Amino acid sequence: MPGRTWIGPTQQERFGLLRRAKSIAIVGASNNPARASYFVATYLLSSTAYDVYLVNPRETEILGQPVYATLRDLPVVPDIVDVFRRHDDLPGVAQEAIEVGAQTLWLQLGSWNEDAAAIAEGAGLSVVMDRCIKIEHARFHGGLHLAGFDTGVISSRRQLLAR
């Protein structure tokens, strides 16, 4: 893609980041089931062993979990900070991830901010950009459907497609 100079971690390195992590904070968690952050939180809470912490200053509870206003308010230091925020907010979130001692800054699918990556990497954090943590986890653990979702349906019937 033009204008992109940053080189991200390899598949094996991303697998290692996910394997070593015990906790994930989702910054920009939403209570709206139509939002990607809601779907990712649902997946991480129901299908993984991660301790998942939700961060959003406008929410108090999502999916029965408490929601924290900032990363500083979390009761633990998250291993991975998974970010669902606007492009211009990303450097600030990178700085906050550094300040709380996170190990990895993970920017979701469609999020690419080389300034945020430079801030985080300069402080020793690993950085992943433009990758969905749910898709990556499911891909590495065999739970990925063709569309990136696990339908839970096992069938030998050929799917009929409308034209």
Side-chain angles (χ1 to χ4, degrees), residues 22-29 45 50-57 59-60 62 65-83 93 96-105:
K22 303 287 184 228
S23 59
I24 298 175
I26 299 177
V27 174
L45 287 166
Y50 296 119
D51 294 327
V52 178
Y53 299 91
L54 307 175
V55 178
N56 184 331
E59 299 286 350
T60 56
I62 298 172
Q65 302 292 314
V67 179
Y68 301 90
T70 69
L71 288 172
R72 290 179 205 91
D73 297 327
L74 296 178
V76 300
V77 174
D79 296 317
I80 296 175
V81 174
D82 186 23
V83 187
V93 176
E96 190 178 2
I98 293 166
E99 291 169 7
V100 300
Q103 298 170 7
T104 300
L105 179 70

Side-chain angles (χ1 to χ4, degrees), residues 13-25:
E13 291 167 334
R14 292 191 308 276
F15 176 67
L17 293 172
L18 290 172
R19 196 174 67 189
R20 287 187 299 275
K22 303 287 184 228
S23 59
I24 298 175

Side-chain angles (χ1 to χ4, degrees), residues 105-124:
L105 179 70
W106 191 297
L107 305 184
Q108 271 298 312
L109 198 60
S111 289
W112 187 273
N113 188 311
E114 295 193 17
D115 291 337
I119 290 167
E121 287 181 328

